[in-house]
């Protein structure tokens, strides 16, 4: 019997089994059959070389254009260089000490070439590629080898040592002996939705005769993924409803009412509406689970504070978790500021309704820490502010009613479960997650499907616009000089500036992209021979700019005379806090920092943000970063400094960030660009993930339909007792690491 559970080494032999496991993590027949082709090449098609990205592992269909053999001056080695072409651009394949390649790689022959794309002296390369040549031009690709018998050649996500065609051969062998599988979907659903059965979908995805076959198979396989994820989420929502929660009724004579009376500004419409939703959620006896997405500066803190005050009014406590100590300290400070004497319970001058805001971070001294823990445990602290890690595991509360999680859109289901299970309290606290990372609808439905989501789309009145420009130093070096001049002007006008770099510097960091790679011995052999062969990995990318270096250079050069501060994660918490405070108080003109300033930091007087090596940051990170400026009355300016040249995907990403300040639009663009970037087979990991086929960008309607279907099924049959096939599908998803759905975006 060859079922989906059968081990690959039994079916394919130990050697192939081992190779698939090591390179791609595939162990069973099911694993291999779920390793879907990334795309399909048509007979006679050549891969567009212009579309390749440096560093990706690519499979290229191309034609041999020219072959040369050279002897290295060291006399001991030879280099065979084969230029392959798609008819427009060419790519060099280099082989060291493999002279026989010259006989095999005959000019005019076509084949598939697989390897890592590198660049050397402006020329794209595949170093030591693996290849399979097709027989001859007349028979072309189609009949070249058995696995290419169909008009469509599957191109698999591959890995070094395991090229696409080897995977195709293994898949073929498996399909020949596979017994097929039972369908997990109820036949009624399959018919109603016009979906293919599972076995034929799996066969067609690997051996399609036409693109119609591919489409039919994809429809089915996508549906399975969408439905199983949505079933899991529907079950989570259901079980959440069954927990008791601390009921926090509204009162109009408590600290919330007192705060509302003295609030320094009018709430925006969005703040009012979301506030209303939350206030209502808190009065119900099952826990709120709400995600508030709001542009940077949209005023989420006040929304959270008002929710916390309602909880305090009910005689319970609220905890606010921030991702870093700097942020936690700043939150505690701004909550106290907003509350004034309403935060001074037990102190001289405290208001009658007052509560207490307690800060709890790892860097507190022993005595302070003990005091803070006591305030949490006794219930004296109405609001406890701390970092995620700290509060999650170690603090006990008298009566925790609400947890606010700030700026942590990755706060996953497990973490929320852990919070709930904590301390074995009978009730589960309400949870409010806040993020400035706009989340496209499909992602929200898929990743946060067990949360209610609300969006704060407008900014408070009087917020100033931010304009963003790309500073392409490779093409326009003078623009950077102008940028520094502009900074002098801003400072002269009384404003402040951030300069953000990707790295701290003064290296003890080990990882990082600029790390040296070890070279192959074949290359080392020729050292000192006078003729330098290309390094195996092509040109090394220079390491990203570092805070410490940049601060020094700016201070000695373009920004001499300005007061420059430094902020990064390796500083002691006290120092970080001191620097932030000095910046907030206007004692520092230019803050050179890592992304510590990414979230939540609020210095309204800062008007310019310069991001060095901007291409090393993600789109949403850049968006968050620039949200640090334009928070006061003066307009904000963000400069994205990069060496990336026009026309590359990298530059496109930066141009996208410069083109709009609508975070939701950007999130969509980002999703799109990242997808396009890996069309041909970027980094292949063998990790299993629940989502292989479903695209969060393009399959919105599938996801929405699956969500409705799942809600309906779980409503009637919460444990899926009457749906054993679906229960199995769900079990498979639950096994996969949930975090990976996120990475998928
Ligand atoms: P974020 O959503 O990025 O966390 P904050 O909550 O830090 O934003 O708010 C940014 C600034 O806007 C704060 O100084 C806050 O006091 C102010 N703010 C919040 N709501 C309003 C409002 N309705 N009108 C004017 N200013 C507001
Ligand atoms: Mg905030």
């Amino acid at each position: 019997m060859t079922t989906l559970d059968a081990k690959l080494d039994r079916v394919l032999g130990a050697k192939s089994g081992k190779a698939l496991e090591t390179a791609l993590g595939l162990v069973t027949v099911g694993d291999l059959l779920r390793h879907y082709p990334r795309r399909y090449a048509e007979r006679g098609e050549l891969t567009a070389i212009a579309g390749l990205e440096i560093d990706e592992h690519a499979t290229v269909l191309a034609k041999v254009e020219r072959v040369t053999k050279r002897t290295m001056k060291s006399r001991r080695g030879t280099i065979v260089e084969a230029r392959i072409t798609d008819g427009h651009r060419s790519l060099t394949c280099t082989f060291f000490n493999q002279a026989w390649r010259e006989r095999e790689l005959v000019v005019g022959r076509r084949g598939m070439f697989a390897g890592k794309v590198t660049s050397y002296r402006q020329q794209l390369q595949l170093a030591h590629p693996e290849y399979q040549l097709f027989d001859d031009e007349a028979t072309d690709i189609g009949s070249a080898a058995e696995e290419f018998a169909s008009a469509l050649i599957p191109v698999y996500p591959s890995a070094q040592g395991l090229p696409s065609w080897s995977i195709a051969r293994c898949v073929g062998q498996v399909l020949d002996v596979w017994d097929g599988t039972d369908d997990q979907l109820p036949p009624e659903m399959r018919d109603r939705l016009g979906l293919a059965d599972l076995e034929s979908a799996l066969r067609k995805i690997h051996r399609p005769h036409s693109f119609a076959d591919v489409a039919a198979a994809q429809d089915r396989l996508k549906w399975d993924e969408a439905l199983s994820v949505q079933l899991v989420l529907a079950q989570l929502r259901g079980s959440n409803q069954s927990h008791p929660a601390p009921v926090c009724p509204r009162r109009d004579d408590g600290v919330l009412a007192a705060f509302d009376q003295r609030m320094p500004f009018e709430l925006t419409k969005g703040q009012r509406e979301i506030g209303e939703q939350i206030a209502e959620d808190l009065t119900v006896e099952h826990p709120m689970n709400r995600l508030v997405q709001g542009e940077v500066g949209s005023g989420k803190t006040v929304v959270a504070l008002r929710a916390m005050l309602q909880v305090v009014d009910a005689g319970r406590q609220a905890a606010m978790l921030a991702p870093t100590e700097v942020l936690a300290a700043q939150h505690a400070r701004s909550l106290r500021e907003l509350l004034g004497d309403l935060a001074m319970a037990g102190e001289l001058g405290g208001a009658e309704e007052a509560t207490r805001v307690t800060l709890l971070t790892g860097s507190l001294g022993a005595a302070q820490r003990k005091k803070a823990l006591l305030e949490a445990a006794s219930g004296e602290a109405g609001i406890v502010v701390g970092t995620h890690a700290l509060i999650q595991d170690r603090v006990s509360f008298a009566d925790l009613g609400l947890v606010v999680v700030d700026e942590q859109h990755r706060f996953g289901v497990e973490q929320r479960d852990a919070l709930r299970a904590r301390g074995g309290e009978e009730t589960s606290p309400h949870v409010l997650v806040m993020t400035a990372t706009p989340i496209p609808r499909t992602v929200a439905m898929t990743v946060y499907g067990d949360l209610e989501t609300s969006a704060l789309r407008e900014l408070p009145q009087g917020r100033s616009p931010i304009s963003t420009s790309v500073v392409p130093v490779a093409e326009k070096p003078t623009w950077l000089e102008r940028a520094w001049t502009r900074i002098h002007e801003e400072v002269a006008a009384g404003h402040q500036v951030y300069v953000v770099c990707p790295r701290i510097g003064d290296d003890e960091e080990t990882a990082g992209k600029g790390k040296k790679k070890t070279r192959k011995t074949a290359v080392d052999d020729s050292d000192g021979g006078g003729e330098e062969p290309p390094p195996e990995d092509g040109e090394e990318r220079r390491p990203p700019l570092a805070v410490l270096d940049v601060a020094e250079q700016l201070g000695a050069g373009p920004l001499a005379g300005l007061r420059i501060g430094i902020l990064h994660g390796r500083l002691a918490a006290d120092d970080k806090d001191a620097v932030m405070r000095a910046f907030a108080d206007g004692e520092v003109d230019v803050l050179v920092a890592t992304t510590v300033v990414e979230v939540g930091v609020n210095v309204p007087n800062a008007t310019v943000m310069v991001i060095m090596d901007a291409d090393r940051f993600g789109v949403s990170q850049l968006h968050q970063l620039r949200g640090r400026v334009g928070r006061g009355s003066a307009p904000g300016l963000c400069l994205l400094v990069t060496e990336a040249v026009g026309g590359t995907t990298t530059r496109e990403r930066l141009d996208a960030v410069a083109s709009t300040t609508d975070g939701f639009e950007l999130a969509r663009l980002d999703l799109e660009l990242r997808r396009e970037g890996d069309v041909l087979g970027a980094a292949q990991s063998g990790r299993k993930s629940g989502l292989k086929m479903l695209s969060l960008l393009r399959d919105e309607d599938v996801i929405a339909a699956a969500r409705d279907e799942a809600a309906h099924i779980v409503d009637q049959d919460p444990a899926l007792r009457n749906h054993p096939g679906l229960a199995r599908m769900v079990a498979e998803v639950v096994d996969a690491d949930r975090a990976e759905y996120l990475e998928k975006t």
Side-chain angles (χ1 to χ4, degrees):
M1 285 284 284
T2 303
T3 63
L4 290 177
D5 297 330
K7 295 273 187 289
L8 286 170
D9 53 6
R10 223 204 64 218
V11 183
L12 297 169
K15 190 160 167 258
S16 298
K18 182 87 188 138
L20 288 166
E21 180 171 1
T22 322
L24 299 167
L26 308 174
V27 179
T28 64
V29 164
D31 293 343
L32 181 60
L33 294 184
R34 299 274 183 192
H35 187 73
Y36 307 131
R38 181 170 293 273
R39 61 176 197 115
Y40 300 86
E42 282 181 90
R43 178 193 288 263
E45 167 198 307
L46 296 175
T47 308
I49 286 170
L52 298 179
E53 289 273 332
I54 304 285
D55 279 352
E56 75 176 323
H57 192 280
T59 303
V60 182
L61 272 72
K63 193 168 172 171
V64 179
E65 190 178 43
R66 207 183 73 186
V67 181
T68 55
K69 186 173 77 179
R70 287 181 291 137
T71 306
M72 282 179 279
K73 292 225 177 87
S74 63
R75 284 177 312 272
R76 278 189 292 153
T78 56
I79 303 179
V80 173
E81 273 180 356
R83 220 161 67 196
I84 59 174
T85 177
D86 62 0
H88 304 282
R89 289 198 55 183
S90 59
L91 189 62
T92 309
C93 303
T94 317
F95 304 90
F96 294 106
N97 292 333
Q98 294 175 332
W100 50 273
R101 300 272 187 199
E102 192 192 13
R103 293 188 298 278
E104 203 170 88
L105 292 162
V106 174
V107 171
R109 279 190 78 177
R110 292 171 184 231
M112 290 174 116
F113 299 80
K116 192 168 153 197
V117 180
T118 60
S119 111
Y120 181 67
R121 291 183 183 146
Q122 315 295 328
Q123 171 70 37
L124 282 183
Q125 292 218 339
L126 283 182
H128 305 289
E130 292 168 86
Y131 57 83
Q132 187 175 51
L133 296 170
F134 305 127
D135 271 353
D136 60 53
E137 219 35 37
T139 49
D140 200 35
I141 294 171
S143 57
E146 203 197 338
E147 57 270 29
F148 300 141
S150 132
L152 291 179
I153 305 164
V155 179
Y156 286 93
S158 54
Q160 198 67 44
L162 198 62
S164 174
W165 51 88
S166 302
I167 299 170
R169 191 182 319 114
C170 293
V171 170
Q173 278 172 304
V174 164
L175 285 178
D176 288 344
V177 297
W178 182 41
D179 294 326
T181 182
D182 290 340
D183 207 324
Q184 301 165 318
L185 287 189
E188 174 278 322
M189 188 193 297
R190 217 171 57 209
D191 292 347
R192 178 162 44 88
L193 301 171
L195 295 170
D197 68 273
L198 182 58
E199 178 175 348
S200 70
L202 283 173
R203 289 189 185 277
K204 279 181 179 167
I205 202 76
H206 294 288
R207 290 179 157 177
H209 291 289
S210 62
F211 279 114
D213 277 356
V214 175
Q218 282 175 340
D219 282 349
R220 166 58 205 258
L221 298 170
K222 277 180 186 175
W223 176 256
D224 284 10
E225 289 179 7
L227 184 63
S228 17
V229 171
Q230 295 302 333
L231 282 168
V232 174
L233 293 170
Q235 287 184 314
L236 273 172
R237 280 196 302 270
S239 80
N240 184 44
Q241 301 292 306
S242 61
H243 278 273
V247 177
C248 304
R250 306 188 198 204
R251 273 174 51 183
D252 51 20
D253 56 353
V255 61
L256 174 56
F259 173 72
D260 278 351
Q261 288 230 316
R262 67 174 63 177
M263 204 164 13
F265 39 68
E266 288 261 304
L267 291 178
T268 63
K269 186 157 158 284
Q271 283 172 322
R272 270 203 315 276
E273 284 168 5
I274 293 178
E276 199 51 39
Q277 277 172 340
I278 296 174
E280 191 52 41
D281 289 349
L282 294 172
T283 63
V284 182
E285 64 270 358
H286 58 76
M288 167 177 76
N289 248 318
R290 186 173 289 280
L291 172 72
V292 174
Q293 321 175 43
E295 285 285 337
V296 195
S298 59
K300 295 182 293 294
T301 316
V302 174
V303 171
L305 175 58
R306 295 185 68 252
M308 294 195 285
L309 294 179
Q310 181 173 338
V311 170
V312 171
D313 273 340
R316 306 180 196 274
Q317 295 165 284
M320 185 170 203
L321 315 193
T324 65
E325 298 209 343
V326 172
L327 261 185
Q330 190 180 317
H331 271 317
R333 219 164 25 239
S334 59
L335 293 181
R336 285 189 192 122
E337 242 161 59
L338 280 164
L339 287 168
D341 61 359
L342 291 174
M344 290 161 62
E347 289 173 53
L348 202 62
E352 194 189 332
E353 310 87 343
T355 183
R356 187 176 296 177
V357 177
T358 298
L359 176 66
L360 192 60
T361 58
S363 57
L364 290 184
Q368 269 182 306
R369 183 180 161 77
K370 201 167 153 204
K371 179 162 176 282
L373 286 170
L374 207 66
E375 288 178 355
S378 66
E380 257 176 278
I383 297 175
V384 178
V385 185
T387 50
H388 296 143
L390 202 67
I391 291 196
Q392 227 168 294
D393 351 306
R394 291 188 245 140
V395 183
S396 72
F397 290 88
D399 185 357
L400 184 58
L402 166 68
V403 177
V404 176
V405 182
D406 189 36
E407 301 297 1
Q408 180 77 326
H409 68 294
R410 298 202 166 197
F411 198 75
V413 173
E414 284 90 351
Q415 287 159 294
R416 274 180 270 135
D417 282 349
L419 254 179
R420 267 185 216 118
R422 218 182 43 92
E425 286 106 345
E426 278 143 44
T427 57
S428 311
H430 299 284
V431 175
L432 179 62
V433 180
M434 304 194 297
T435 175
T437 307
I439 299 163
R441 201 171 103 85
T442 46
V443 179
M445 274 194 291
T446 310
V447 185
Y448 303 103
D450 65 321
L451 298 178
E452 307 294 331
T453 60
S454 2
L456 261 179
R457 300 197 73 137
E458 76 209 293
L459 298 183
Q461 292 295 311
R463 206 42 70 71
S464 313
I466 304 172
S467 58
T468 305
S469 306
V470 177
V471 178
V473 284
E475 293 150 23
K476 317 243 185 221
T478 56
W479 287 20
L480 189 58
E481 288 158 35
R482 245 189 284 162
W484 302 131
T485 312
R486 174 67 190 269
I487 284 174
H488 279 284
E489 290 163 11
E490 289 289 325
V491 173
H495 295 302
Q496 289 163 283
V497 175
Y498 296 98
V499 176
V500 175
C501 307
R503 207 165 54 94
I504 300 174
D506 206 7
D507 282 299
E508 52 212 53
E509 294 140 288
T510 41
K513 291 189 168 170
K515 222 180 122 195
K516 282 253 179 199
K517 306 249 169 67
T518 39
R519 288 178 175 192
K520 269 245 157 81
T521 8
V523 176
D524 288 340
D525 257 4
S526 65
D527 269 359
E531 179 184 6
E532 206 201 327
E536 190 195 10
D537 272 332
E539 266 162 26
E540 300 216 344
R541 226 175 146 189
R542 102 174 138 61
L545 290 173
V547 168
L548 298 178
D549 305 340
V550 168
E552 195 184 314
Q553 286 156 15
L554 289 178
L559 298 186
L562 303 187
R563 295 169 299 173
I564 297 182
I566 288 179
L567 183 69
H568 57 72
R570 279 211 309 267
L571 292 178
D574 277 355
D575 296 342
K576 265 188 257 178
D577 213 49
V579 173
M580 258 334 286
R581 211 182 298 233
F583 190 63
D585 293 345
E587 289 156 16
V588 164
D589 300 318
V590 179
L591 186 63
V592 185
T594 53
T595 51
V596 216
V597 296
E598 182 181 341
V599 282
V601 172
N602 190 20
V603 178
N605 192 43
T607 48
V608 182
M609 166 152 299
V610 183
I611 305 178
M612 308 301 293
D613 275 347
D615 48 288
R616 310 268 182 148
F617 298 95
V619 167
S620 61
Q621 227 178 353
L622 293 171
H623 180 61
Q624 294 239 3
L625 278 168
R626 74 176 156 182
R628 302 300 113 213
V629 294
R631 303 198 127 210
S633 50
L637 172 67
C638 173
L639 300 174
L640 306 174
V641 180
T642 179
E643 286 178 3
V645 291
T648 57
T649 315
T650 309
R651 255 299 274 289
E652 253 177 74
R653 280 195 313 126
L654 298 182
D655 292 341
V657 175
S659 73
T660 175
T661 47
D662 180 340
F664 287 87
E665 173 62 12
L666 260 184
R668 205 189 54 75
L669 279 173
D670 190 26
L671 206 54
E672 201 167 287
L673 284 172
R674 283 206 234 179
R675 276 276 154 180
E676 304 312 330
D678 62 14
V679 181
L680 240 192
Q684 303 315 319
S685 76
R687 282 178 310 166
K688 295 172 199 171
S689 146
L691 296 189
K692 292 177 171 156
M693 186 71 82
L694 194 68
S695 153
L696 296 181
L697 180 66
R698 280 185 271 278
D699 297 324
E700 181 165 349
D701 44 349
V702 180
I703 295 170
R707 184 178 161 92
D708 290 347
E709 191 82 30
H712 185 71
I713 295 168
V714 170
D715 228 27
Q716 319 253 305
D717 180 14
L720 299 176
R721 287 212 178 78
N722 306 320
H723 295 87
L726 297 182
R728 253 187 297 136
M729 269 171 56
V730 167
E732 281 168 27
V733 179
V734 173
D735 278 353
D737 183 1
R738 293 187 51 91
E740 295 202 26
Y741 303 133
L742 252 183
E743 280 166 27
K744 194 82 182 176
T745 72

